[in-house]
Every structure is written in structure tokens, then in C-alpha cells.
Amino acid sequence: MLTVVRGGAAALMFFLELGVLGAAGYWGFTAGPNLAVRILLGLGAPAVLATLWGLFMAGGKAPHQLHGIARAVFEAAWFGAGALALAASGLVTAGVVFAAVYVVDAVLRLTFHAV
């Protein structure tokens, strides 16, 4: 049972990570005043976020791996950015649900030492 919870929490974390990138892209493609800006934001926002994740959080392979409170703050900001991107693009309910799912997953990971 414990293995299932740990695996489920880790899988959910992965899908939430992808969700942040998707939310940032969606926000970008809906935010700009003209097509060129929307394309730039729609492709650029996920690229910037993916680069930050790769630099600081990427599963033990990040060149500047964060630990402890710095990791927790970065993670909260990362997933908060996904929730805010959804809300800013008009999907407020989706942003709230995204944030709630992240909080539940974080509690599960902390409780069961997953990820």
C-alpha cells in the first residue's frame, strides 16, 4: 500500500510539472496584444520555466540542485506560477483546482517520503 501511495504521488508530481508548462503556454498564447507577442509568450514562458526546473530541480541531475527550504520555496513558486497562469488566462476554477491538487500531492509526498 505504501509503495502505491509513493508511486502515485510521484506520478502526480510529474503530471503537475507538465501541467505548469502547459498552463504557462496557454497563458502566453492568450495574453499578448497581437499574434507575434502571443507566440513569443506562448513558447517563451514554458521554455523559461523548463530551463529553471532543469537548473534547480531536475531529479538529482540539476547542476544547482536545491535542498531543504530553498527547494520547498522554489517548488511552491513553480506550481503557484502554474495556478496563476491558469487564473490569469481566465480559467480561475482550473487554477484553484490545480493549486489544491498540488497541495494534496505535497502533503502526500511529505507524509510518505515520496520524491
Side-chain angles (χ1 to χ4, degrees):
M1 174 74 171
L2 184 60
T3 304
V4 171
V5 172
R6 285 181 179 165
L12 182 56
M13 172 85 163
F14 174 71
F15 289 117
L16 286 169
E17 291 167 18
L18 295 178
V20 169
L21 299 176
Y26 183 79
W27 166 80
F29 284 120
T30 60
N34 60 47
L35 181 61
V37 173
R38 286 194 303 268
I39 290 172
L40 181 65
L41 290 173
L43 298 175
V48 167
L49 287 171
T51 300
L52 290 172
W53 189 267
L55 285 172
F56 299 109
M57 299 289 282
K61 298 178 183 176
H64 308 286
Q65 187 76 36
L66 298 177
H67 302 284
I69 194 73
R71 180 180 175 89
V73 169
F74 184 92
E75 190 178 294
W78 166 271
F79 292 104
L84 288 175
L86 288 170
S89 58
L91 303 173
V92 176
T93 303
V96 170
V97 169
F98 187 88
V101 170
Y102 164 69
V103 168
V104 169
D105 184 61
V107 169
L108 285 173
R109 287 183 294 114
L110 287 171
T111 302
F112 296 104
H113 306 289
V115 182

